[in-house]
Amino acid sequence: MPALIGAARGPQERLRALERAEFARSFFDQAEVLGAFAATEGTYEDRFHYTLAASDQPSAGPSRFDSLVALTRLDMTVEDQVYGGRDSFTRVIAHER
């Protein structure tokens, strides 16, 4: 019986992890569109608690575009307060200076 219960939990846990990833992707997309790259923390719909940290990301090397484009690294942690689980996500966004 414990093996059957464990097997049933596998798909549910993967679904919850996918929901956390989708929430983070949506949040990153919104931040990119709005140009909102500030650190923030909050709760969404009494389910996801998130923490977002933003930092300047240096380019891989000197480029003629350095004066035009900046890179910002976004690090986000999402915790599911209803079903449990926690994941960290990172995205680097290019934007105008």
Side-chain angles (χ1 to χ4, degrees), residues 2-75:
L4 291 175
I5 293 171
R9 281 192 191 150
Q12 290 175 349
E13 290 175 11
R14 286 191 295 275
L15 176 62
R16 303 296 181 236
L18 182 61
E19 289 172 337
R20 292 188 298 274
E22 181 62 21
F23 171 75
R25 186 201 58 77
S26 172
F27 200 97
F28 285 150
D29 289 349
Q30 182 179 350
E32 187 171 5
V33 168
L34 297 176
F37 306 122
T40 186
E41 181 176 354
T43 302
Y44 178 74
E45 291 188 354
D46 295 328
R47 179 170 175 197
F48 296 116
H49 178 76
Y50 61 89
T51 304
L52 179 71
S55 60
D56 292 336
Q57 178 75 27
S59 60
S63 165
R64 63 183 177 180
F65 301 108
D66 286 345
S67 63
L68 303 173
V69 177
L71 299 177
T72 299
R73 178 182 167 142
L74 302 176
D75 292 299

